[in-house]
Amino acid sequence: GFLPALKQVGNVAGLPGICGKSIALPDAHSGYGFSIGGVAATDLSNEDAVVSPGGVGFDINCGVRLLKSNLFEEDVSEYIEQIAEGLYRNIPVGVGTNGAITVTNNELDSILKDGMKWCLEENICWEEDLEMCEEKGCFEMADPNVVSKYAKSRGLKQSGSLGSGNHYAEIQVVDEIYDEEAAAVMGLEKGMVCIMIHCGSRGLGHQVCSDFVNSMSKTILKDPSLQLNDRQLACCRVNTELGQNYLKAMAAASNFAFVNRTVIAHQVRRVFSDIFGKSAKNLEMDMIYDVSHNIAKQETHIVDDVEKEVLVHRKGATRA
């Protein structure tokens, strides 16, 4: 609800080392710790600055990927049922489901470390896909060694699956063009068929968040200087070993999410290729963007006319 979300925005404003204001976007609603649609940065020059897993969320690097095509609504209208059946058959969905591909423990570590670069080596994506993806599909500080065995076990069989909740792989049509120049750059036209994919890091990301929330909650009990307005805002100082390990594990889970969406996109391209009898390249199924909305990132911003290095928590929010 909106009123609980407002309370959460106020609670976040009390985080140690916060830089500027705690922000709620227009569609903010209550979440775990932070509101969903909440943004807050902590000042990395302040030794008290914290990182809070609640500011990222349990579904680390939940994000949205958009693919285009050169097909128009009239081209696909008679194939809707076939497309729906093909997607449902090739993209697992639901709580606890296995993914479209099976990987070994070593391959999982490579996914966690290298993200979409692993997909490129396995011919699961196109080289240009990486250019259209946030961080080019890989958070470089990722370290598989700080991801728990249990988190890895939860993700081992889930690459290429949507999960549940509000996640989807949806066939869409460009209904209106508001910026002709931007649309032209992206190769989009009115009536064109696109595919949007919304999902994240599945059970692996959820477990990474749970592991570090538990560890940070124990740390808070031993550190009276970390006074919080809400226990769900469990946090630790960024410059501690625990803080750095969380960021490394979060990055690894983010890479897993990039790969998850990449495998799903690969399955989408296969389905369209099979149905329309053309390669995905000939169907021009290019990736327009892939952007995360559950992430914490170190960035440089101007705050009160001063350039600062900050850690920006974005939960249900993307970069502008």
Side-chain angles (χ1 to χ4, degrees), residues 215-232:
S215 296
M216 292 181 190
S217 296
K218 293 174 183 175
T219 298
I220 288 171
L221 294 175
K222 301 174 184 177
D223 187 351
S225 67
L226 283 174
Q227 297 295 323
L228 303 175
N229 298 320
D230 182 357
R231 61 184 296 181
Q232 291 185 355

Side-chain angles (χ1 to χ4, degrees), residues 138 235 261:
C138 178
C235 60
R261 291 195 288 275

Side-chain angles (χ1 to χ4, degrees), residues 176-237:
E176 199 68 56
I177 300 290
Y178 296 98
D179 186 329
E180 295 283 353
E181 185 177 354
V185 170
M186 291 184 278
L188 296 174
E189 301 175 34
K190 189 171 182 177
M192 186 173 277
V193 172
C194 298
I195 303 91
M196 182 172 283
I197 299 162
H198 172 211
C199 62
S201 49
R202 302 287 280 112
L204 185 145
H206 192 285
Q207 192 59 48
V208 166
C209 182
S210 295
D211 290 343
F212 281 91
V213 165
N214 291 337
S215 296
M216 292 181 190
S217 296
K218 293 174 183 175
T219 298
I220 288 171
L221 294 175
K222 301 174 184 177
D223 187 351
S225 67
L226 283 174
Q227 297 295 323
L228 303 175
N229 298 320
D230 182 357
R231 61 184 296 181
Q232 291 185 355
L233 291 175
C235 60
C236 70
R237 290 183 173 81

Side-chain angles (χ1 to χ4, degrees), residues 121-281:
E121 292 173 358
E122 298 294 321
N123 295 315
I124 296 173
C125 70
W126 304 342
E127 190 168 356
E128 53 266 39
D129 290 344
L130 277 68
E131 296 299 321
M132 305 309 295
C133 187
E134 185 172 355
E135 299 295 326
K136 296 187 177 181
C138 178
F139 283 89
E140 296 293 345
M141 76 176 299
D143 183 355
N145 295 316
V146 296
V147 177
S148 70
K149 289 183 179 179
Y150 184 46
K152 290 179 181 179
S153 72
R154 292 187 65 182
L156 190 63
K157 297 181 179 180
Q158 290 190 330
S159 289
S161 62
L162 282 173
S164 59
N166 63 348
H167 295 165
Y168 57 79
E170 185 173 270
I171 310 304
Q172 302 178 342
V173 174
V174 178
D175 186 57
E176 199 68 56
I177 300 290
Y178 296 98
D179 186 329
E180 295 283 353
E181 185 177 354
V185 170
M186 291 184 278
L188 296 174
E189 301 175 34
K190 189 171 182 177
M192 186 173 277
V193 172
C194 298
I195 303 91
M196 182 172 283
I197 299 162
H198 172 211
C199 62
S201 49
R202 302 287 280 112
L204 185 145
H206 192 285
Q207 192 59 48
V208 166
C209 182
S210 295
D211 290 343
F212 281 91
V213 165
N214 291 337
S215 296
M216 292 181 190
S217 296
K218 293 174 183 175
T219 298
I220 288 171
L221 294 175
K222 301 174 184 177
D223 187 351
S225 67
L226 283 174
Q227 297 295 323
L228 303 175
N229 298 320
D230 182 357
R231 61 184 296 181
Q232 291 185 355
L233 291 175
C235 60
C236 70
R237 290 183 173 81
V238 179
N239 60 6
T240 62
E241 182 179 10
L242 181 59
Q244 290 299 303
N245 283 348
Y246 169 71
L247 292 175
K248 292 174 184 177
M250 181 206 69
S254 297
N255 289 345
F256 182 87
F258 283 139
V259 171
N260 191 31
R261 291 195 288 275
T262 301
V263 174
I264 292 172
H266 177 69
Q267 297 296 84
V268 168
R269 285 167 169 166
R270 284 182 53 194
V271 168
F272 271 74
S273 181
D274 290 345
I275 291 173
F276 292 97
K278 297 180 181 179
S279 70
K281 286 279 190 181

Side-chain angles (χ1 to χ4, degrees), residues 11 19 25 38 48 57 65 71 76 82 92-93 95 102 104 109 112 118 130 169 191 196 201 224 249 264 270 274 314:
N11 290 338
C19 185
L25 301 183
D48 290 329
R65 176 171 299 200
L71 299 168
V76 304
Q82 284 178 257
V93 61
V95 177
T102 300
T104 65
D109 278 350
L112 297 178
W118 178 86
L130 277 68
M196 182 172 283
S201 49
I264 292 172
R270 284 182 53 194
D274 290 345
R314 292 186 179 93

